[in-house]
Amino acid sequence: ETAHAAFEQASGPLLGIAGLGSNRAMQAFLDYYIQYEGYGLFAPAEYRARHRLPDVGTPPQEDYRVAEDVVLARSLIREYQALVSDLECPGGLPLATFFQRGFGPSRLPHRLGYAIVDAVNRGYGMDAVRAAADIDGTEFVGRYLPLITAG
């Protein structure tokens, strides 16, 4: 939660659902939360690894497994791409469907976000992780999502 507070201080207040009148806004909202939750998980990851905290038992614990599970990472990428593709179709998606798919049991923002931030760290180091926190969520996802499968 400390990482969330720091992220908000640097990036501004959390995005709310009031502005989700368009599919473009829904994608921006999703991308923002992918970045936001990715940093929230990344911040304690080193501590968790050093102290050998479990990565099974609850969904938040299992979020960390995505960095080592290529099959899960690719599944989340496909899920994200399918959701974005459906948002781009004429008529798009109803808000309830968007939330069910984007923020449902797969924990897409948490797991995909963590996988992206972890890939940035592995590929470019902590300076790049810090710099990536300062860009817009959609740019963040667009620029760094390909790193997950490249590594």
Side-chain angles (χ1 to χ4, degrees), residues 53-126:
L53 297 177
D55 64 358
V56 294
T58 66
Q61 290 171 311
E62 293 170 6
D63 291 344
Y64 290 95
R65 297 170 66 195
V66 70
E68 305 299 328
D69 187 338
V70 176
V71 173
L72 175 58
R74 287 186 178 145
S75 172
L76 291 166
I77 291 169
R78 285 191 302 274
E79 182 179 343
Y80 171 80
Q81 290 170 333
L83 179 54
V84 169
S85 178
D86 288 348
L87 285 170
E88 292 170 349
C89 288
L93 291 174
L95 191 57
T97 302
F98 166 72
F99 276 109
Q100 288 168 350
R101 288 180 57 192
F103 297 86
S106 71
R107 297 180 54 82
L108 181 66
H110 297 81
R111 292 177 180 174
L112 188 58
Y114 174 65
I116 294 171
V117 178
D118 183 68
V120 171
N121 185 47
R122 290 176 191 228
Y124 300 110
M126 279 305 296

Side-chain angles (χ1 to χ4, degrees), residues 6 16 28 42 45 47 51 60 67 89-90 95 100 120 135 145:
F42 181 80
Y47 175 88
H51 294 282
C89 288
L95 191 57
Q100 288 168 350
V120 171
I135 63 175
L145 183 65

